[in-house]
Amino acid sequence: MSAPNVLSRAALLLACLPLGLLHAEETSITSPELEPVTSLLTHKLFLRTGYGPDETRLGEDRRSFFSLRYEPSYRWYSPEQRWAKWEAFGRLWLNYDTDPNALQSDEGNDENVSSRRHAYSEAREFYVRRNLLGDDPRFSATFGRQRFSDRFGIWWDDSIEALRLDYNDSFASGFVAIAEKFYYYNSDDNRLDPRDKKIRYLMAEYAWRWHADHWIGARLLHEDDYSGSSPDDRQDFDGLRYGVFLHGDTRHLTSLVSDYHLEVAALDGRLETTQNNGLRDSGDKTGWAVVADVGKRFETLPWTPRVGISGGLTDRPDDSGSDGFTLNRIQSDRRNDPLSYSSRLVSNLVSVNLSNLAFYGIVLETQPTDRTALDVRISDLRLRNRSAQLPLRTTNEGVVRDTGSSHLGQVLDINHYWRMFPLAYDGKRVQLNTLASLSYFKAGSALEIGDDYQLTLGITLTY
């Protein structure tokens, strides 16, 4: 090919190039954008059935139970989801259950749930949130009935009316909230239990990421019970709970430990107690509790097993039970692990009040496939003071029985969890998971009840 022909073709290509770029620019400009999302409606269907002691109370007669709940949630954004300045949220419970046992794994206080029977509905959450405070994406404020939770539930695990200010960035997070319950917003029993009336809470939390995947923080909960004397509410506590927590993933730092979580909590305040004759006694109430979980995962072995050690210890209370660490009405012993299913601090069967208690357990967690988990956990429970009240839900709960032993018993849990690969349908995500659980409790010499067991099956569909 001659040089003039090459030059002419090169000139023609250069002449056409601007037209091609202009065409590409026009195509990118006219390409349709995704429509802004201003609202989301999600649905959750929850089914749980099983066989075990009535109200998960050790020593009660065993019977079958069944629960069905539909949980719709609606979220509204303004101007749109990506950079919403305003956000509103509502979540309902439409529930039918044959026995309150079926709901013992739910958020909130067990005693409130056990008072409800059969069909009922509840406005579980409803709040308004203002994001981008001061045009800063790290700050937001929320007003209304909203959910509070922590890893082990020992700080807060309930929905409560509150005004909350949040701070979140890559290296730190925290919140401050003022809260108080006014109603249950429940069709079956809307009136507050006397033990929940006229209690103000001040909550605060701060966490700092001191290293990749490692966090250290502090929590505070001030409780002000101004309800006064009542035969249905014999104890009023005014005081402070405070403590620190640490958690992280250490697989990039050491081969000995894969993950850890530590909670240290202290209690200090005044407790007023109404006696049977109507007189009120007042005294100091102090205590402390420690809960820890440490694990090692073997990534190269089949089923990637994780061996973990968990434990908890409280101070030794006096015989009267008016002293020492204890959980309040918005706390629980329910684990809230966002990366796994929820269970209880010790066992799905054994519900404990973190008071007068020492426990330790060994867990083996496996992953037979990418979306399944098979776990086995064995725990041993003991009293700190063999003459004080029991920390378990039993038929003789609250009755002091000095048997001369501190051994409460041992419990075995076997859990199988399966999660479906999510599907996309009509622009939404469909998710299904199941949890089958077997729990067996071998009563110790400190209890005057026999052994007990429970079988459960739970199915959750989210759309």
Side-chain angles (χ1 to χ4, degrees):
M1 185 180 294
S2 63
N5 289 337
V6 173
L7 292 176
S8 62
R9 291 191 179 187
L12 180 61
L13 178 61
L14 291 175
C16 295
L17 185 59
L19 296 177
L21 293 176
L22 180 60
H23 177 70
E25 183 178 356
E26 291 177 352
T27 303
S28 62
I29 294 175
T30 58
S31 60
E33 295 184 358
L34 295 177
E35 294 185 2
V37 177
T38 59
S39 64
L40 288 175
L41 176 63
T42 59
H43 310 269
K44 186 176 181 180
L45 188 63
F46 175 85
L47 167 67
R48 189 166 187 257
T49 184
Y51 180 81
D54 190 18
E55 296 190 15
T56 321
R57 195 182 302 274
L58 298 173
E60 291 282 6
D61 294 337
R62 286 184 290 270
R63 63 177 185 177
S64 60
F65 53 86
F66 172 83
S67 176
L68 179 65
R69 185 176 74 227
Y70 168 56
E71 187 177 304
S73 301
Y74 179 78
R75 195 180 296 270
W76 170 82
Y77 304 96
S78 176
E80 61 172 304
Q81 182 184 18
R82 286 176 293 184
W83 291 104
K85 286 190 174 182
W86 290 95
E87 183 179 337
F89 179 75
R91 181 164 66 103
L92 300 179
W93 278 2
L94 303 176
N95 197 89
Y96 178 83
D97 63 272
T98 58
D99 189 276
N101 187 320
L103 295 176
Q104 292 300 311
S105 61
D106 277 344
E107 62 206 51
N109 187 274
D110 289 341
E111 297 182 16
N112 295 338
V113 174
S114 63
S115 65
R116 301 165 190 164
R117 298 287 176 177
H118 304 305
Y120 69 89
S121 60
E122 180 176 317
R124 192 61 188 171
E125 287 186 86
F126 47 87
Y127 61 77
V128 175
R129 175 175 295 156
R130 176 60 163 88
N131 299 309
L132 302 173
L133 289 179
D135 289 331
D136 191 330
R138 297 174 298 176
F139 293 95
S140 63
T142 309
F143 177 75
R145 182 174 171 86
Q146 51 196 290
R147 178 92 173 91
F148 290 85
S149 65
D150 68 275
R151 170 71 181 274
F152 293 132
I154 63 175
W155 286 98
W156 31 69
D157 182 30
D158 207 351
S159 293
I160 186 172
E161 299 91 313
L163 174 60
R164 171 171 173 163
L165 176 65
D166 280 276
Y167 171 83
N168 283 286
D169 68 14
S170 300
F171 295 94
S173 65
F175 73 87
V176 177
I178 300 174
E180 181 176 350
K181 282 190 176 183
F182 298 105
Y183 303 99
Y184 290 140
Y185 307 96
N186 188 280
S187 61
D188 183 66
D189 185 11
N190 188 45
R191 297 169 299 174
L192 288 180
D193 186 288
R195 292 170 292 178
D196 288 330
K197 288 183 178 179
K198 297 183 178 180
I199 304 178
R200 299 190 190 98
Y201 300 98
L202 172 63
M203 309 176 186
E205 175 183 304
Y206 178 78
W208 171 54
R209 193 179 75 168
W210 61 273
H211 193 276
D213 299 322
H214 293 264
W215 293 81
I216 183 173
R219 292 191 178 102
L220 178 146
L221 174 61
H222 184 266
E223 185 176 346
D224 177 21
D225 191 334
Y226 63 99
S227 59
S229 176
S230 169
D232 297 324
D233 180 21
R234 294 185 177 273
Q235 292 188 335
D236 296 334
F237 175 74
D238 296 328
L240 191 66
R241 301 166 192 265
Y242 55 93
V244 297
F245 63 91
L246 301 91
H247 63 85
D249 188 325
T250 64
R251 283 176 288 185
H252 297 296
L253 297 180
T254 176
S255 60
L256 299 177
V257 176
S258 299
D259 56 89
Y260 66 94
H261 191 109
L262 173 67
E263 295 274 359
V264 180
L267 179 149
D268 189 3
R270 298 281 296 177
L271 179 67
E272 294 187 357
T273 305
T274 303
Q275 304 296 335
N276 294 330
N277 56 10
L279 299 178
R280 288 175 67 85
D281 295 334
S282 178
D284 294 334
K285 183 176 177 64
T286 59
W288 55 265
V290 178
V291 178
D293 189 359
V294 179
K296 165 63 178 176
R297 185 170 293 281
F298 300 88
E299 303 284 354
T300 59
L301 295 181
W303 294 15
T304 61
R306 175 187 179 271
V307 178
I309 300 176
S310 62
L313 183 68
T314 71
D315 62 312
R316 188 180 188 276
D318 56 23
D319 293 349
S320 67
S322 59
D323 195 21
F325 191 87
T326 186
L327 299 179
N328 65 19
R329 298 281 293 176
I330 65 170
Q331 297 169 337
S332 76
D333 67 328
R334 196 175 70 93
R335 292 173 180 257
N336 300 284
D337 191 345
L339 301 179
S340 181
Y341 54 85
S342 296
S343 61
R344 294 205 168 271
L345 192 60
V346 177
S347 165
N348 292 326
L349 170 61
V350 180
S351 177
V352 300
N353 187 342
L354 198 58
S355 175
N356 190 28
L357 178 65
F359 72 90
Y360 65 91
I362 300 176
V363 60
L364 173 62
E365 301 175 358
T366 63
Q367 298 176 354
T369 64
D370 290 340
R371 313 192 72 81
T372 62
L374 178 61
D375 305 339
V376 179
R377 180 170 57 174
I378 302 176
S379 302
D380 185 86
L381 296 83
R382 296 182 181 271
L383 292 171
R384 296 282 282 136
N385 180 358
R386 66 186 63 181
S387 302
Q389 293 183 355
L390 299 175
L392 311 181
R393 290 171 54 87
T394 67
T395 52
N396 53 7
E397 186 176 0
V399 178
V400 178
R401 298 180 182 273
D402 190 359
T403 62
S405 173
S406 63
H407 190 212
L408 292 170
Q410 297 172 333
V411 60
L412 168 68
D413 273 49
I414 302 176
N415 299 311
H416 182 271
Y417 177 76
W418 172 79
R419 182 175 55 182
M420 179 189 73
F421 188 84
L423 301 177
Y425 176 75
D426 195 20
K428 294 186 178 181
R429 176 173 174 161
V430 181
Q431 179 71 66
L432 176 71
N433 62 68
T434 65
L435 174 62
S437 177
L438 166 64
S439 301
Y440 180 81
F441 178 73
K442 181 177 176 56
S445 52
L447 295 179
E448 297 182 346
I449 59 175
D451 300 349
D452 222 328
Y453 67 90
Q454 178 175 271
L455 294 166
T456 62
L457 172 64
I459 302 174
T460 304
L461 174 65
T462 305
Y463 169 63

